[in-house]
Amino acid sequence: MTTPPTTSHPRDLTALDEPYLSFWRERHLCTLTTLRPDGSPHVVPVGVTYDVEAGLARVITSGSSKKARNVLAAGPEGARVAVCQTAGRRWATLEGRARVRTEPDRVAEAVRRYAQRYERVPRPNPARVVIEIEVTRALGHA
């Protein structure tokens, strides 16, 4: 019996190719999927940056947002999440464990990376936090 081909296109995190990494530097709207306390998915549009050297994807948001509350509800070990982007036939997903970070230096770094990728500085938000995702899996076709 033959195994059907996979459609997830898993990637080796230690050997991501330049087209895949370049896709994560292009300006694209993404989605973040978190789980609500009842286990149902909460999917929202977001801006995402991917720091391959640190193994982190970052999403800036308000600390009172549903996405931040969903991550916090998972407890100190963090929440399993996925971020995804698509453009035509190209797509990329990063999965991992997310935690909400409030440290000013971490938030500032996330804002800096966001401004670089999306070519605009986000509006000031005193309640801003960063959802940091420790990337454990990369999928896609870019």
Side-chain angles (χ1 to χ4, degrees), residues 24-89:
W24 278 106
R25 290 188 295 268
E26 295 171 13
R27 188 175 192 266
H28 293 288
L29 186 62
C30 304
T31 59
L32 168 67
T33 302
T34 60
L35 296 178
R36 295 180 184 99
D38 70 2
S40 63
H42 175 73
V43 184
V44 293
V46 293
V48 176
T49 61
Y50 181 35
D51 179 352
V52 68
E53 291 82 20
L56 292 175
R58 295 178 177 96
V59 175
I60 57 175
T61 188
S62 178
S64 62
S65 69
K66 181 64 174 165
K67 56 188 159 285
R69 292 192 327 262
N70 285 344
V71 171
L72 288 168
E77 292 187 17
R80 298 284 303 155
V81 302
V83 289
C84 183
Q85 67 182 14
T86 183
R89 297 183 70 181

